[in-house]
Amino acid sequence: CDWSSDVCSSDLYFSMKYSNFNHDMNHFNDHVVMEGNFKNSYIHSEDLAYFDSRIKKIKDRIKTNGYISGTLTALKGRNLVISTENNSVFNGNVDLNGLPYYDSINFKVNARKIATTYESLTKYFPILKSVSIPNLKTLGVIGYTGEIGRAHV
């Protein structure tokens, strides 16, 4: 499968587990346990917009490999390799607590590799276009390896 194709084969396992459909779906963020194993799977940003409508306008296909598990409010990703059409890459593990409430999210990222560009960053974070000092456009490929996190106090 390549970026120019809208149709591709992939190996994808995804499930949502719950005890009581009506009750748990009404409390989806905390009660429904998701599990996914992705192998060369393509996810469109519009699919992710179900969880956050701001994502819908991004219009991007995301190639995904790795494993996710947990509820939306306590989600873990292991051995993730995620890449976008404009050559941004993430390779590592992620723990997210508090989604979809970004202002109070706690996270821990162990990145074997993060690589992106100004163009890609501003596609996902348009507010960065307003930064003039330093001139982010001149950075070229931006990379990071290591652990980062945020614990909300």
Side-chain angles (χ1 to χ4, degrees):
C1 186
D2 63 37
W3 292 114
S4 63
S5 172
D6 284 335
V7 179
C8 65
S9 62
S10 65
D11 186 4
L12 166 66
Y13 167 80
F14 183 77
S15 71
M16 293 189 292
K17 299 174 184 171
Y18 50 87
S19 298
N20 178 295
F21 182 82
N22 288 333
H23 178 266
D24 291 348
M25 288 299 168
N26 283 327
H27 303 279
F28 183 90
N29 294 352
D30 297 308
H31 288 234
V32 176
V33 177
M34 298 176 286
E35 182 178 8
N37 192 16
F38 303 89
K39 293 180 184 170
N40 295 322
S41 301
Y42 286 76
I43 301 169
H44 199 281
S45 57
E46 290 181 356
D47 297 328
L48 298 174
Y50 172 80
F51 300 105
D52 186 340
S53 61
R54 294 174 291 188
I55 297 171
K56 189 172 186 173
K57 59 187 166 194
I58 292 173
K59 308 278 189 223
D60 206 353
R61 285 191 331 146
I62 304 159
K63 183 177 180 182
T64 309
N65 288 280
Y67 178 77
I68 62 153
S69 64
T71 63
L72 190 60
T73 57
L75 195 59
K76 295 182 183 300
R78 295 295 178 261
N79 298 313
L80 297 173
V81 180
I82 300 168
S83 57
T84 65
E85 292 175 294
N86 48 0
N87 298 319
S88 290
V89 176
F90 171 83
N91 180 336
N93 298 322
V94 177
D95 293 345
L96 301 169
N97 293 296
L99 283 175
Y101 310 106
Y102 297 109
D103 57 339
S104 61
I105 192 170
N106 297 319
F107 65 90
K108 179 179 171 186
V109 175
N110 186 334
R112 290 183 284 277
K113 177 182 181 182
I114 297 176
T116 192
T117 62
Y118 172 80
E119 290 77 22
S120 186
L121 278 176
T122 56
K123 184 175 186 178
Y124 289 93
F125 307 102
I127 195 161
L128 292 175
K129 290 179 182 178
S130 64
V131 175
S132 58
I133 299 175
N135 184 354
L136 299 177
K137 292 178 188 178
T138 64
L139 290 178
V141 175
I142 304 161
Y144 180 79
T145 299
E147 192 171 291
I148 54 177
R150 173 183 171 208
H152 185 72
V153 180

